[in-house]
Amino acid sequence: MGLEYDTKTDNDNYYINKIIDAVNTLDFYSMKESIKEAIDMGVSVIDIIKRGVIVGLEESGEMGLILAAEALEGEIILNDEQEQKRLKKSRRYSGKVVIGTIKGDIHSLGKNIASIIMKSYGMDVIDLGVDVEPKEFEKFAYLPEVKVIGISFLLSSVENRIKEVMSLLKKGELKDKVKVILGGAAVSPEIAAETNADAFATDAIQGVNIIEKWLRN
Ligand code: B12
């Protein structure tokens, strides 16, 4: 049969290496261009993030993280509609995930990346944005299709708001219907325990892996 190789993988590797180089060298313009190019060439969002951006970040540290988050946000959210059409065919889960940054906190980058990764895994995500009132999370928890609430927070000062969400869910007898996962830079095992959340994740991939198990049950 002669030499066989996977053309799609070779092709993807070419675009992914370009992303790694751009993130390594902290070149914001190249990050945007290479991410856009990879999307246009059909590389999956999850590969762009997992095999490209995250590998590049090993070299470039915190500054790279901030620039890459901005670049991803711009390029991937712009392409979201197209991506969603592609993903509709491959939805694998029943039940929706609601995600938002809790009231008092306006950090959006990590929440947006988490939401993009969830969508790229084929999950149905309702993104409530930032500075979301506890009552708003509760309102969405009543929707029959909602099974997971993801709360993002980067400020430690908002812990009480998370407790508020949890007590509203308890009062509404929604605790068995929806599971709550915490994410964002301020997350810790202590806060997860104090707030009584079902789980916490220190990065988006870890979070998606947990949610995947919940949506399969
Ligand atoms: C960028 C940034 C900002 C930007 C935000 C821009 C934006 N649109 O988001 C701006 C300048 C607006 C900002 C403002 C402030 N910031 Co700020 N900010 C940061 C910084 C430098 C990076 C955050 C970031 O975007 N990281 C990149 C993303 C990709 O990482 P991430 O959020 O952790 O997300 C990942 C995971 O956590 C996960 N994830 C995130 N959410 C979720 C949700 C779920 C459900 C799951 C599963 C996973 C998940 O997925 C992502 C990918 O893995 C951090 C420092 C740091 N190292 O974290 C400070 C930081 C968070 N900020 C801080 C502070 C204090 C502030 C201000 C109060 C400053 C001020 N005095 O005005 C204000 C707050 C305003 C407000 N009310 O919210 C402190 C918080 C300290 C604390 N623990 O309370 C930090 C830690 C800086 C510091 N060392 O002091 N900030």
Side-chain angles (χ1 to χ4, degrees):
M1 295 293 285
L3 269 181
E4 276 184 48
Y5 62 93
D6 184 343
T7 324
K8 164 97 176 103
T9 308
D10 278 1
N11 208 31
D12 283 7
N13 285 344
Y14 170 77
Y15 295 106
I16 281 166
N17 285 333
K18 275 178 120 176
I19 296 172
I20 296 174
D21 282 348
V23 178
N24 270 339
T25 52
L26 295 177
D27 182 338
F28 184 62
Y29 179 75
S30 298
M31 285 183 209
K32 282 175 79 76
E33 283 301 301
S34 56
I35 291 170
K36 181 175 185 313
E37 197 180 18
I39 293 170
D40 289 346
M41 296 314 291
V43 182
S44 75
V45 171
I46 195 71
D47 277 347
I48 290 175
I49 295 173
K50 248 176 139 171
R51 292 174 47 220
V53 173
I54 290 175
V55 174
L57 286 177
E58 284 165 16
E59 292 274 317
S60 57
E62 184 157 321
M63 193 58 198
L65 180 69
I66 295 164
L67 292 179
E70 284 270 0
L72 271 173
E73 185 170 47
E75 293 313 316
I76 292 184
I77 288 181
L78 270 179
N79 281 281
D80 203 33
E81 213 170 294
Q82 196 184 329
E83 180 73 12
Q84 285 309 298
K85 273 188 199 146
R86 203 152 60 99
L87 288 169
K88 268 218 165 86
K89 294 180 199 130
S90 61
R91 293 239 182 274
R92 286 175 286 162
Y93 308 100
S94 64
K96 291 187 180 174
V97 181
V98 167
I99 190 169
T101 305
I102 191 78
K103 180 77 191 163
D105 193 332
I106 57 154
H107 291 89
S108 62
L109 303 177
K111 184 266 298 164
N112 288 345
I113 291 183
S115 155
I116 288 164
I117 294 183
M118 289 169 194
K119 288 177 187 172
S120 75
Y121 269 68
M123 293 172 184
D124 233 321
V125 180
I126 303 172
D127 189 337
L128 302 180
V130 298
D131 202 23
V132 179
E133 292 281 357
K135 271 204 149 306
E136 192 70 3
F137 283 108
E138 182 206 14
K139 196 175 95 190
F140 277 84
Y142 278 107
L143 297 180
E145 65 274 24
V146 170
K147 288 195 180 161
V148 178
I149 289 182
I151 302 179
S152 183
F153 67 112
L154 279 81
L155 303 176
S156 2
S157 55
V158 296
E159 186 180 344
N160 280 341
R161 307 281 192 186
I162 300 171
K163 287 186 177 157
E164 230 178 284
V165 176
M166 299 309 291
S167 77
L168 286 169
L169 295 180
K170 200 171 167 197
K171 251 192 237 155
E173 295 182 359
L174 294 158
K175 271 300 290 138
D176 291 333
K177 179 190 167 285
V178 289
K179 294 222 182 262
V180 177
I181 180 166
L182 308 181
V187 86
S188 69
E190 291 75 29
I191 292 188
E194 280 162 20
T195 54
N196 216 6
D198 297 283
F200 72 97
T202 50
D203 68 61
I205 305 279
Q206 194 188 24
V208 167
N209 288 333
I210 295 170
I211 296 172
E212 232 183 349
K213 289 191 192 122
W214 290 343
L215 292 182
R216 283 218 169 105
N217 288 330

